[in-house]
């Protein structure tokens, strides 16, 4: 049994025994920690993993609490039905808010949630049928299989059972196809998009997920106290939830429990201590919280969990050798025209970066696109991959126009790319980084991931990633962290990731830049091997030596225009090219 | 509603709107220069108002102690750094800036407060006590995180807001204050009564906006701040340090905040935690301007003021709900006019 | 002659990837020294580290003093100046304000001689004077490079570091820019020039270094580098590379 499982076992045993053994006050604290953990868990997913944030989680807690309070007291609806009603309402509101804020840059979501948190607080406080500032009392107790949960001790089991389920489901989610996409949101958005991940949708998914967890916590809270008023759902409570997630950190879902535990106990202690010290009453703990949070963000931005996790090394991913292969697309016949650029033009303001460029690439060849720095090669690359829109002309791939498609929509046509500045997720394993390339070859979503109903597909995706790593010669490093590889290996990792998408054409952006001599030779060797296996490659490169020995044909650019096109020998003898490379100074 | 009420509400809305506009400008400035979304702006409003209120009662304001305390902490941090870098020459300046000056201001306030000097002197003293807290906050909370993402800086802002609100409670207590107006004058213009205080507020806001404009257009430091906002790397390369730009923009923001507090104190009762909501209304204005455009932010803030005035007439209980819900149509409009996938930071 | 800049054992790393490894170079007062090398060799990183824009290990002695731990602003104030590859102009400000900001540290020291330097820059680049009220963002590529150089000169540098000044410019303008660089030496400015256009760089420089994958592999007087077979193969000619 692994150490992590042992700790989990001890934790569950403690939670089973605690309500029977601990004094009332400690059980109450445990209840609150459980409730807060559920909310903080949503923020670990949203802020820690996804890089987004919300200060308005308390408002979602309030929605869950007020929905059940109103429906169960005014109409006598069963709490189990009001739970569904509360979640449905939260779902609708969070989808709406997510939709309008997540398309904007990152800071609009938190600002929007502050405004929305304040607005909802005043709404709760002023709506008559919600009891105004006095709130709603005498909520019914929850009945579980005929057993009334009428004391804190009994209720504790429900809270922690749900908290554990929530923790495990988020943990499952993160370890899946969708989870890899979610983990790519922070720092890998462009990369994820270019392998077909709908990052905007993934952002809404985690925002809604976090909101639903908050709403669930609110429902539990309302029936634990059997009373609600607006105070616990104010913006300050929303800020405290975020603190919990930051204190725990995003390294593990258990950060939510650790953060909630520390802040709850600390607050209790400070609320006792500070007013006595200062000789007046008030919420002085907020000074300490504020200062602590600033120090934490300055000194240990990852929170406390990384320190804890040092004692629990992550287990290696289990690969199923028997996993069936993913279906592959039919590759085109050799010699078929794959990529065709016709009078492609790109202007930035008045500056024409690419001027009526035309060339084509056939199946089975390696075509090099070269030119001096600033010639417009990278712009061409971004036009072909859909990162930039064209000003004029068209790009066709196997006869279909792709210049009107977004980066994400181009991938399914069979183009896969690498990046000039490597884009990988440094703390994720090499294997998982590569598996992102196969995103579009799987289809299972968030819910099946949370419930572990996608294991067969997941095994196939990981097996494919492992196969491509073997293919490029990185098989031995698959369990290492991607950030620990040397630059040359990181470039090769990017090629493996692109191969995982089962492409017809590989697009490589300056793959040799910054590589050492041996690394360049290994890279050239790999590209030759891929060509012999029928792969087509468009290579944008600056390093003449590297290109000349490798490619079948060359297109030379300067000042956004095509200077020459032909076989390597022809290009080397071309006077115009020589002039461009040697510069205008004679 | 008759014309008289409508006009009165416009006056009321524009008065508050002028203050929100000042705050919105400060928020845009701080964000452009430092990428900090300056939630604690509101605390400077409350500190300014409450410091003036204490002086008017002849009491030593709590901010004087806070200033000395902040100065001691900054001095300690700076000294440690100076010693570590071997920059011993900086030590006298550190001691002077962060210990001698705050002590002098504390003594001055101690001596002057019971004598109840003229209003102008009280205002100047209040500003002298509150404004230096701005660069101190920058030095302690933000400067060590200058390269962090907007998101991390925003969380820091919220943390600073909490801490400053708590300190406000310690130093000013839970009681609210309202200062006497600068002018009791009333003019009749047709059916409308124009109050001297409203004119004071609008006039001072306008004067401050013009002063800021001149500062940005015609002084080397104003240009340095603009340069930092446009291109941080370029600014470093010509010798404008981000720390200097940060401290300067926080000084301006603290000045604007404290002045707004002093202007608003005769109109509304200010508590230690009132600044937050006032600051956030400036924010709604700033968001209308996309946190980039100064004129649109100012116009947005005036709109917030007007909306608030009319909302408190029609549905006073829902005033805050209405004002803060304004942000939703603004965000919808923004989300349909912005089209780009930007690479996240970090 | 004493060295204005003496770099020893300089290493710069991005995370675990080392972009510059144990670099050593020397620049004497009034000289032009060039660093050439392929894309991704670490040339830009080297200049950024010399300017203090990136943390580095090793030693950078400038005018006899160690400056490794100084902030970029402090280095500007001592006379170092970098014109980066991306120019980093203030696009939304006028040409004149860009020049004013170039002299920022001198305004702080209340330098009275700034006005004369405007005239000098305008004499060097008359195009800038014509466009002084225009926003920098509206300039053409060549004018931007002139403005970047002009802004740098406004700081009155002792050591001017130029990163790819010919990048993306038409041959005629490249010729102009190099003429200005050569002329600057006459005024006593020392120049560290990073270029891909090895031909032009070696023509204007006194001494050169070749940087490959973060390490200095060859160094020598420009003339000897220009006739070094390995330099010719990698940087000066395409023709010979089919021999490899």
């Amino acid at each position: 049994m692994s150490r992590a499982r042992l700790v989990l076992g001890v934790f569950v045993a403690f939670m089973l025994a605690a309500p029977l053994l601990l004094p009332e006050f400690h059980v109450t604290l445990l209840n609150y920690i459980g409730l807060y953990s559920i909310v903080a868990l949503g923020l670990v997913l949203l802020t820690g993993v996804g890089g987004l944030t919300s200060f308005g989680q308390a408002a979602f807690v309030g929605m869950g609490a007020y929905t059940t309070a109103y429906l169960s007291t005014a109409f006598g609806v069963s709490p189990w039905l009001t739970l569904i009603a509360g979640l449905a309402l939260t779902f609708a509101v969070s989808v709406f808010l997510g939709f309008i804020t997540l398309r904007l840059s990152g800071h609009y979501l938190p600002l929007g949630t502050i405004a929305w948190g304040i607005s909802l607080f005043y709404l709760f406080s002023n709506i008559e049928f919600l009891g105004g500032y006095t709130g709603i009392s005498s909520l019914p107790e929850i009945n579980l299989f005929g057993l009334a949960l009428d004391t804190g001790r009994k209720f504790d089991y429900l809270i922690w059972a749900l908290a554990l389920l929530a923790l495990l489901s988020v943990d499952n989610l993160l370890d899946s196809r969708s989870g890899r996409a979610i983990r790519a949101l922070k720092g890998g958005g462009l990369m994820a998009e270019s392998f077909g991940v709908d990052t905007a949708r993934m952002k809404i998914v985690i925002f809604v997920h976090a909101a639903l967890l908050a709403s669930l916590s609110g429902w539990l809270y309302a029936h634990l106290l059997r009373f609600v008023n607006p105070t616990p759902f104010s913006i300050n409570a929303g800020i405290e939830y975020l603190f919990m997630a930051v204190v725990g950190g995003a390294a593990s879902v258990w950060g939510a429990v650790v953060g909630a535990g520390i802040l709850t106990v600390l607050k209790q202690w400070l609320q006792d201590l500070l007013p006595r010290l200062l000789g007046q009453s008030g919420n002085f703990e907020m000074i300490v919280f504020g200062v602590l949070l600033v120090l934490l963000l300055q000194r240990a931005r990852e929170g406390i969990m990384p320190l804890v996790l040092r004692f629990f090394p992550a287990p290696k991913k289990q690969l199923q050798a028997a996993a069936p292969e993913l279906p592959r697309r039919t590759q085109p016949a050799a010699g078929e025209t794959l990529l065709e650029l016709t009078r492609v033009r790109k202007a930035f303001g008045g500056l024409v970066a690419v001027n009526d460029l035309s060339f084509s690439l056939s199946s089975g060849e390696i075509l090099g696109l070269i030119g001096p720095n600033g010639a417009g090669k990278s712009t061409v690359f971004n036009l072909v991959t859909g990162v930039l829109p064209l000003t004029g002309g068209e790009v066709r791939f196997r006869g279909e126009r792709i210049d009107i498609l977004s980066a994400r929509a181009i991938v399914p046509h069979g183009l896969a790319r690498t990046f000039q500045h490597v884009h990988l997720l440094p703390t994720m394993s090499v294997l998982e980084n590569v598996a992102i390339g196969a995103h579009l070859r799987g289809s299972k979503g968030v819910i099946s991931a949370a419930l572990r109903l996608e294991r067969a597909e997941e095994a196939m995706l990981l097996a494919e990633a492992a196969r491509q790593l073997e293919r490029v010669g990185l098989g031995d490093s698959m369990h290492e962290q991607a950030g620990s590889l040397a630059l040359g290996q990181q470039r090769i990792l990017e090629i493996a990731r692109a191969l995982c998408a089962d492409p017809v054409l590989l697009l490589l952006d300056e793959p040799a830049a910054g590589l050492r001599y041996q690394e360049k030779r290994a890279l050239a060797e790999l590209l030759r091997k891929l060509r012999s296996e029928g792969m087509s490659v468009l290579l944008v490169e600056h390093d003449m030596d590297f290109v000349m020995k490798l490619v079948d044909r060359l297109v030379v650019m300067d000042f956004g225009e095509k200077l020459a096109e032909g076989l390597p020998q022809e290009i080397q003898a071309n006077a115009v090219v020589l002039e461009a490379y040697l510069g205008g100074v004679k | 509603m008759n014309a008289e009420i409508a006009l009165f509400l416009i006056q009321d809305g524009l008065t508050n709107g002028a203050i929100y506009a000042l705050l919105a400008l400060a928020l845009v400035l701080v964000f452009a220069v430092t990428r900090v979304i300056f939630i604690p702006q509101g605390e400077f409003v409350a500190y300014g108002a409450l410091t003036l209120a204490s002086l008017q009662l002849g009491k030593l304001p709590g901010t004087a102690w806070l200033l000395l305390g902040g100065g001691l902490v900054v001095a300690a941090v700076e000294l440690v750094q100076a010693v570590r870098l071997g920059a011993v020459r900086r030590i006298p300046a550190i001691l002077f800036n962060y210990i001698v000056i705050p002590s002098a201001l504390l003594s001055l306030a101690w001596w002057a407060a019971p004598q109840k000097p003229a209003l102008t002197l009280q205002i100047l003293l209040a500003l002298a006590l509150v404004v230096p807290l701005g660069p101190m906050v920058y030095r302690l909370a933000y400067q060590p995180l200058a390269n962090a993402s907007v998101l991390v800086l925003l969380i820091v802002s919220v943390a600073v807001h909490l801490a400053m609100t708590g300190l406000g409670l310690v130093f000013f207590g839970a009681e609210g204050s309202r200062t006497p107006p600068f002018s009791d004058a009333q003019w009749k213009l047709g059916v409308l009564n124009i109050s001297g205080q409203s004119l004071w507020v609008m006039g001072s806001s306008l004067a401050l906006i013009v002063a800021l404009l001149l500062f940005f257009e015609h002084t080397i430091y104003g240009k340095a701040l603009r340069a930092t906002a446009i291109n941080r790397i370029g600014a470093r390369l010509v010798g404008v340090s981000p720390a200097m730009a940060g401290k300067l923009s926080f000084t301006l923001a603290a000045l604007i905040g404290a002045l707004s507090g002093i202007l608003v104190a005769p109109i509304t009762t200010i508590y230690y935690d009132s600044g937050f909501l006032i600051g956030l209304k400036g924010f709604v204005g700033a968001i209308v301007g996309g946190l980039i455009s100064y004129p649109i932010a100012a116009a947005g803030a005036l709109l917030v003021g007007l909306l608030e005035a009319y909302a408190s007439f029609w549905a006073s209980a829902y005033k805050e709900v209405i004002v803060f819900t304004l942000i939703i149509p603004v965000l919808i409009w923004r989300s349909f006019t912005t089209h780009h996938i930007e690479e996240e930071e970090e | 002659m004493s060295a204005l800049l003496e770099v020893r054992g300089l290493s710069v790393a991005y995370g675990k990837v080392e972009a510059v490894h144990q670099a050593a170079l020397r620049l004497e007062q009034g000289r032009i020294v060039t660093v050439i090398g392929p894309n991704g060799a670490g040339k830009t990183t080297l200049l950024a580290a010399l300017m203090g824009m990136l943390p580095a290990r090793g030693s950078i002695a400038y005018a006899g003093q160690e400056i490794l731990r100084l902030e970029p602003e402090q280095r500007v104030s001592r006379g170092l100046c970098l014109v980066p590859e991306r120019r980093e102009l203030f696009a939304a400000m006028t040409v004149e304000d860009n020049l004013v900001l170039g002299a920022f540290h001198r305004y702080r020291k209340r330098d009275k001689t700034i006005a004369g330097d405007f005239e000098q820059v305008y004499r060097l680049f008359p195009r800038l004077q014509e466009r002084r009220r225009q926003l920098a963002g509206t300039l053409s590529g060549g004018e931007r490079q002139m403005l970047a150089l002009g802004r740098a000169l406004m700081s009155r540098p002792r050591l001017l570091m130029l990163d790819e000044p010919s990048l993306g410019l038409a041959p005629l303008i490249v010729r102009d820019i190099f003429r200005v660089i050569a002329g600057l030496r006459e005024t006593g400015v020392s120049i560290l020039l990073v270029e891909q256009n090895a031909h032009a760089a070696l023509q204007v420089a006194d001494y050169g270094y070749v940087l490959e994958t973060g390490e200095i592999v060859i160094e020598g007087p420009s003339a000897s580098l220009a006739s070094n077979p390995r330099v010719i193969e990698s940087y000066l000619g395409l023709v010979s590379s089919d021999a490899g």
Side-chain angles (χ1 to χ4, degrees):
Chain A
M1 200 198 303
S2 78
R3 225 188 299 182
R5 292 221 163 167
L6 188 71
V7 173
L8 181 64
V10 171
F11 179 77
V12 170
F14 170 77
M15 281 302 164
L16 283 173
L20 303 174
L21 305 174
L22 292 177
E24 189 74 33
F25 175 69
H26 288 150
V27 174
T28 306
L29 267 185
L30 263 187
N31 279 333
Y32 278 110
I33 293 174
L35 290 173
Y36 296 157
S37 298
I38 297 175
V39 186
L41 174 64
L43 286 170
V44 165
L45 180 67
L46 183 69
T47 307
V49 180
L52 303 166
T53 205
S54 160
F55 294 102
Q57 293 309 97
F60 291 122
V61 179
M63 286 186 90
Y66 267 100
T67 307
T68 189
Y70 177 63
L71 292 179
S72 64
T73 54
F75 303 105
V77 181
S78 149
W80 296 105
L81 292 177
T82 60
L83 171 63
I84 294 167
L87 291 175
L89 181 65
T90 310
F91 180 84
V93 171
S94 58
V95 166
F96 172 72
L97 286 175
F99 186 76
I100 62 171
T101 50
L102 290 169
R103 292 157 49 106
L104 300 170
S105 28
H107 46 274
Y108 281 96
L109 176 67
L111 287 179
T113 56
I114 291 179
W116 127 265
I118 292 177
S119 221
L120 206 75
F121 171 75
Y122 283 104
L123 209 59
F124 290 146
S125 310
N126 286 297
I127 293 182
E128 229 159 274
F129 66 81
L130 295 182
Y133 286 99
T134 33
I136 300 174
S137 50
S138 317
L139 267 67
E141 62 216 20
I142 289 176
N143 274 288
L144 189 62
F145 306 119
L147 176 72
L149 302 178
D150 50 2
T151 66
R153 286 177 199 276
K154 290 182 195 159
F155 210 88
D156 185 273
Y157 289 106
L158 179 62
I159 291 177
W160 279 100
L162 288 174
L164 260 179
L165 282 177
L167 284 160
L168 293 177
S169 69
V170 172
D171 204 28
N172 288 344
L173 170 60
L174 287 176
D175 173 33
S176 73
R177 170 180 174 268
S178 305
R180 285 187 289 272
I182 292 169
R183 286 190 279 166
L185 289 177
K186 192 161 129 185
L190 176 66
M191 180 273 289
E193 280 279 327
S194 59
F195 287 102
V197 176
D198 186 343
T199 53
R201 186 172 161 275
M202 267 0 247
K203 286 178 183 173
I204 295 185
V205 164
I206 56 175
F207 181 62
V208 171
H209 199 304
L212 291 177
L213 285 171
S215 178
L216 168 67
S217 172
W219 175 79
L220 284 168
Y221 173 87
H223 289 283
L224 170 66
L225 292 192
R226 298 170 65 184
F227 161 74
V228 293
N229 73 343
T231 319
F233 313 124
S234 71
I235 193 75
N236 276 354
I239 294 170
E240 274 172 31
Y241 286 127
L242 184 68
F243 281 19
M244 293 173 191
V246 174
V247 167
S252 151
V253 292
W254 292 94
V257 181
V258 171
I262 291 177
L263 257 80
T264 309
V265 172
L266 187 66
K267 185 172 178 176
Q268 193 64 44
W269 179 66
L270 288 172
Q271 275 180 339
D272 264 1
L273 178 79
L274 291 180
R276 263 188 288 143
L277 268 178
L278 292 164
Q280 47 178 325
S281 62
N283 301 327
F284 299 114
E285 74 279 359
M286 65 174 127
I287 305 174
V288 180
F289 279 12
V291 172
L292 272 184
L293 189 68
V294 172
L295 287 177
L296 196 72
L297 288 170
Q298 288 179 354
R299 297 296 159 95
R301 210 175 295 168
E302 302 305 314
I304 290 173
M305 276 320 275
L307 307 177
V308 180
L309 288 178
R310 250 190 277 167
F311 301 100
F312 304 99
K316 276 190 185 172
K317 276 249 168 281
Q318 295 298 313
L319 285 174
Q320 293 176 18
E325 282 197 31
L326 291 166
R328 299 195 55 193
R329 77 175 89 231
T330 42
Q331 292 285 336
E336 178 192 326
T337 302
L338 289 183
L339 184 70
E340 203 170 2
L341 280 75
T342 319
R343 288 199 304 284
V344 166
R345 187 178 182 80
K346 177 69 191 177
F348 297 100
L351 193 78
V352 180
V354 178
N355 194 359
D356 289 350
L357 182 75
S358 305
F359 68 84
S360 66
L361 181 152
S362 309
S363 176
E365 75 172 334
I366 301 185
L367 177 71
L369 179 61
I370 62 165
N373 245 0
K377 305 181 301 271
S378 286
T379 312
V380 173
F381 198 90
N382 285 331
L383 293 174
V384 172
T385 49
V387 174
L388 289 174
L390 274 70
T391 313
E394 54 177 55
V395 182
R396 286 178 183 272
F397 187 70
R398 302 182 80 176
E400 281 179 78
R401 276 190 74 167
I402 57 167
D403 52 277
I404 36 178
L405 302 177
S406 67
R408 171 155 48 88
I410 285 177
V411 203
H413 287 77
L415 285 93
R417 68 170 295 186
T418 65
F419 294 86
Q420 185 177 351
H421 302 284
V422 286
H423 278 246
L424 31 79
L425 301 166
T427 56
M428 223 154 95
S429 73
V430 169
L431 183 72
E432 287 177 290
N433 264 288
V434 171
I436 292 176
H439 187 81
L440 286 182
R441 297 171 77 185
S443 60
K444 296 280 196 274
V446 172
I447 294 168
S448 39
L451 301 174
R452 294 257 132 156
L453 299 175
E454 38 60 277
R455 286 293 103 181
E457 181 188 281
E458 175 72 2
M460 281 159 69
L461 292 174
L462 290 179
E464 173 70 6
R467 202 172 303 124
Q468 298 301 345
L469 277 168
E470 297 290 355
R471 186 176 175 192
V472 302
L474 271 184
D476 294 338
S477 315
M478 67 175 76
H479 298 295
E480 285 169 34
Q481 284 200 344
S484 70
L485 299 186
L487 181 62
Q489 291 174 309
Q490 295 188 353
R491 284 260 164 71
I492 295 199
L493 185 161
E494 289 217 328
I495 293 177
R497 186 175 63 199
L499 289 172
C500 243
D502 187 24
V504 174
L505 174 61
L506 267 183
L507 302 160
L508 308 181
D509 194 358
E510 305 237 357
L515 294 198
R516 288 164 203 287
Y517 184 64
Q518 288 303 329
E519 292 175 328
K520 278 185 201 172
R521 279 184 55 167
L523 176 65
E525 209 47 56
L526 170 63
L527 294 180
R528 279 195 199 102
K529 176 180 160 216
L530 292 178
R531 173 173 52 190
S532 70
E533 291 166 13
M535 183 61 63
S536 320
V537 180
L538 174 64
L539 182 70
V540 169
E541 197 32 88
H542 186 88
D543 187 328
M544 297 297 291
D545 212 30
F546 179 76
V547 172
M548 287 296 171
K549 293 173 196 161
L550 180 65
V551 301
D552 299 304
R553 226 154 44 83
L554 276 166
V555 172
V556 188
M557 280 183 80
D558 199 15
F559 294 106
E561 292 181 17
K562 183 161 82 178
L563 214 58
E565 181 171 0
L567 302 175
Q569 311 78 286
E570 296 168 4
I571 296 296
Q572 280 172 332
N574 186 318
V576 187
V577 175
L578 285 176
E579 165 76 12
Y581 260 81
L582 300 184
V585 186
K586 290 280 145 171
Chain B
M1 183 195 292
N2 58 29
E4 193 178 338
I5 295 176
L7 284 172
F8 170 77
L9 291 177
I10 288 178
Q11 178 189 324
D12 191 34
L14 288 180
T15 309
N16 284 324
I19 288 176
Y20 302 150
L22 279 180
L23 297 174
L25 294 182
L27 292 165
V28 174
L29 164 70
V30 168
F31 182 70
V33 175
T34 63
R35 300 178 305 124
V36 169
I37 295 178
F38 196 41
I39 306 280
Q41 173 82 67
E43 274 59 63
F44 285 92
V45 176
Y47 281 21
L50 294 170
T51 304
L52 181 66
S54 300
L55 288 172
Q56 296 202 327
L57 294 173
K59 287 197 300 187
L60 175 70
T63 16
W65 290 111
L66 193 58
L67 182 65
L68 181 61
L72 289 172
V73 179
V74 175
V77 174
E78 288 277 358
L79 286 175
V80 168
Q81 203 184 22
V83 169
R84 207 186 296 159
L85 288 174
V88 189
R89 280 183 304 155
R90 274 193 237 155
I91 291 177
I94 294 171
L95 295 178
F96 183 77
N97 287 340
Y98 296 113
I99 297 181
V100 176
I101 293 185
S103 308
L105 284 170
L106 172 67
S107 318
L108 178 69
W110 197 310
W111 171 76
Q115 318 198 19
K116 298 202 184 178
L119 181 64
T120 324
L121 292 178
Q122 287 179 355
I123 290 176
L124 287 177
L125 185 56
L127 291 177
L129 292 174
V130 177
V131 174
L133 292 173
M136 285 181 185
V137 165
Y138 177 79
R139 176 64 192 88
L140 292 175
Y142 298 97
Q143 191 175 318
L145 285 165
N147 296 320
S149 66
V150 173
L151 183 69
V152 168
L153 292 171
L154 173 60
I155 300 176
V156 170
S157 278
V158 169
V160 172
H161 149 69
L162 269 202
M164 284 187 70
T165 311
L167 289 168
L169 177 59
V170 173
F171 287 101
F172 298 110
E175 312 253 302
S177 300
R178 191 163 180 160
T179 57
F182 302 159
S183 149
D184 296 321
Q186 293 279 342
W187 290 280
K188 258 197 119 48
L189 193 80
V191 289
L192 181 64
N193 268 315
I194 297 179
S195 75
Q197 185 63 31
S198 287
L199 288 184
W200 258 107
V201 171
M202 289 189 248
S204 315
S205 303
L206 201 63
L208 198 55
I209 290 172
V210 171
L212 280 174
L213 203 69
L214 293 174
F215 170 74
F216 283 125
E217 286 295 328
H218 296 291
T219 68
I220 184 74
Y221 283 96
K223 285 175 185 175
L225 282 189
R226 271 164 66 208
T228 308
I230 294 168
N231 184 337
R232 298 167 67 78
I233 296 175
R236 292 207 85 175
L237 289 175
V238 298
V240 180
S241 91
M244 187 218 77
K247 277 184 197 156
L248 184 54
S249 59
F250 270 65
T251 308
L252 287 174
L255 173 70
I256 293 173
L259 258 181
S260 306
I262 288 169
L263 288 172
V264 83
I267 306 174
T268 332
T269 307
I270 300 288
Y271 299 85
Y272 72 98
D273 60 352
S274 303
F276 186 49
L277 281 187
I278 299 176
L280 282 182
K281 285 171 192 164
F283 243 116
V284 176
I287 289 174
V288 174
L291 287 174
I292 305 167
S293 162
Y294 291 92
I296 302 180
L302 286 178
L303 180 70
V304 172
L306 287 172
L307 186 70
E308 183 185 35
Y310 279 86
S312 40
F313 181 78
W314 290 112
S316 86
Y318 294 101
K319 186 178 83 171
E320 314 290 1
V321 180
I322 293 169
V323 169
F324 286 107
T325 311
L326 173 68
I327 204 173
I328 293 197
V330 170
L331 289 175
I332 293 176
W333 165 64
R334 286 228 151 257
S335 80
F336 283 105
T337 49
T338 317
H339 295 284
H340 67 287
I341 304 167
E342 65 180 282
E343 190 63 338
E344 300 293 330
E345 301 168 88
E346 264 184 328
Chain C
M1 213 192 299
S2 76
L4 178 64
L5 182 73
E6 172 97 57
V7 178
R8 276 194 228 98
L10 192 76
S11 299
V12 192
Y14 297 98
K16 284 179 183 157
V17 182
E18 207 169 53
V20 171
H21 179 67
Q22 293 284 327
L25 56 92
R26 195 178 145 86
L27 192 157
E28 270 146 28
Q29 181 80 45
R31 295 297 182 89
I32 299 184
V33 168
T34 184
V35 178
I36 57 176
N39 233 14
K43 304 187 299 289
T44 296
T45 306
L46 173 68
L47 287 195
L50 292 178
M51 197 60 219
M53 304 294 283
L54 287 174
R57 284 175 294 114
S59 155
I60 308 172
Y62 168 79
Q65 280 183 318
E66 180 58 52
I67 59 164
L68 185 76
R69 294 169 82 179
L70 294 187
E71 295 290 316
E73 302 77 34
Q74 294 167 305
R75 300 188 201 203
V76 170
S77 166
R78 293 185 184 206
L80 277 87
C81 188
L82 169 65
V83 178
E85 188 180 327
R86 294 162 47 92
R87 327 295 198 231
E88 309 291 1
L89 298 172
F90 308 117
M93 296 174 85
T94 62
V95 166
E96 189 158 272
D97 276 350
N98 271 273
L99 294 177
V100 167
L101 283 161
F104 178 73
H105 75 99
R106 298 170 62 200
Y107 279 102
R108 293 191 84 180
K109 295 173 194 150
R110 306 212 158 72
D111 188 334
K112 301 282 183 224
T113 60
I114 298 174
D117 289 5
F118 273 104
E119 281 170 30
Q120 208 183 329
V121 168
Y122 285 146
R123 217 173 12 247
L124 214 49
F125 304 111
R127 293 289 284 279
L128 295 183
Q129 184 159 27
E130 287 164 29
R131 294 172 194 265
R132 49 198 262 265
R133 304 251 171 258
Q134 225 170 295
L135 296 186
T138 64
L139 299 182
S140 73
E143 290 164 347
R144 279 176 209 214
Q145 181 59 285
M146 292 174 197
L147 180 56
L149 268 173
R151 186 179 73 180
L153 294 177
M154 288 302 293
S155 78
R156 263 216 197 153
R158 278 180 77 187
L159 172 58
L160 183 60
M161 298 187 277
L162 304 174
D163 194 358
E164 306 270 359
S166 73
L167 179 63
L169 301 183
L172 256 154
I173 298 171
V174 173
R175 220 162 294 178
D176 273 356
I177 297 279
F178 274 97
R179 202 170 297 144
V180 169
I181 293 171
L184 282 178
R185 179 182 17 201
E186 309 306 318
T187 65
V189 182
S190 315
I191 294 170
L192 183 59
L193 173 67
V194 157
E195 256 297 344
Q196 280 210 45
N197 188 335
H199 246 275
L202 288 177
Q203 263 175 28
V204 75
D206 303 299
Y207 199 84
Y209 293 86
V210 179
L211 192 70
E212 281 179 5
T213 56
E215 294 182 51
I216 287 180
V217 289
I218 312 174
E219 64 173 284
S222 300
S224 86
L225 279 192
S227 58
N228 181 318
R230 213 181 130 199
V231 176
I232 293 175
E233 182 191 335
S234 303
Y235 307 107
L236 295 178
L238 296 166
V239 193
S240 54
S241 67
D242 58 351

